[in-house]
Amino acid sequence: MKKIAYLSSKIFFWGFALFASFVLLFSILSFFEYFFEWNIPMVEISKKGEDSYASLKVPFIQLFVKFLLSYTVILLWFTMIFYAIYFYVLQTFFQIFIAEKTFTQNSIKKLTLFYKLNFIPVIIGFLGVILRYIIYGNLYFDEPHFFVLIHLIVAFFLYLYLDLIKKGNSIQQENDLTI
């Protein structure tokens, strides 16, 4: 069961890395098509009012990624890079369960990194809500906030697990000293 979780996280990481690479590459190419008016396959530029949108068609699976050609592309790039790092750290987190010794300092470091990484979307989401309230004067809960909530719940469980690993590490060190 432990190896299945580790292998599935590894497959998910590489799948996400491949998808993120595709989106990053073609979002950069969409800028070239927009500014230089090139005709790039799988990229379509459309206008809606004064805004320009880029649509990326993922081949073989009929998936479309559509985004506004403005600051949202930069947010898309940072999000893809963040989640590539996130899933890589998740993969190393699952290595804790496969390791022969679970209660080690290395396990605590991996768990602490994954714990802290889960707070980045929480902080950015909180700042986004405050910024939206300051600029627009309204406060509402929409889809991106569910991801923030999920990261907050994962961070809570990681805190509990981190405490458990730290206590297990101290007990194991005391046990190694008495032997």
Side-chain angles (χ1 to χ4, degrees), residues 79-98:
T79 303
M80 290 293 183
I81 291 168
F82 170 77
Y83 278 106
I85 293 168
Y86 183 83
F87 288 124
Y88 178 76
V89 173
L90 177 67
Q91 173 188 338
T92 60
F93 167 71
F94 280 126
Q95 287 176 347
I96 295 171
F97 301 113
I98 297 173

Side-chain angles (χ1 to χ4, degrees), residues 26-27 30 52-56 65-69 72-73 76:
F26 279 95
S27 64
S30 67
S52 295
Y53 292 89
S55 298
L56 307 176
V65 179
K66 187 175 184 176
F67 55 88
L68 182 65
L69 282 170
T72 57
V73 174
L76 175 79

Side-chain angles (χ1 to χ4, degrees), residues 27 58 105 153-154 163:
S27 64
V58 181
Q105 284 298 114
I153 292 169
V154 168
D163 188 48

Side-chain angles (χ1 to χ4, degrees), residues 43-59:
V43 175
E44 182 181 318
I45 304 295
S46 60
K47 285 197 172 265
K48 188 176 187 182
E50 294 198 13
D51 296 330
S52 295
Y53 292 89
S55 298
L56 307 176
K57 180 182 177 188
V58 181

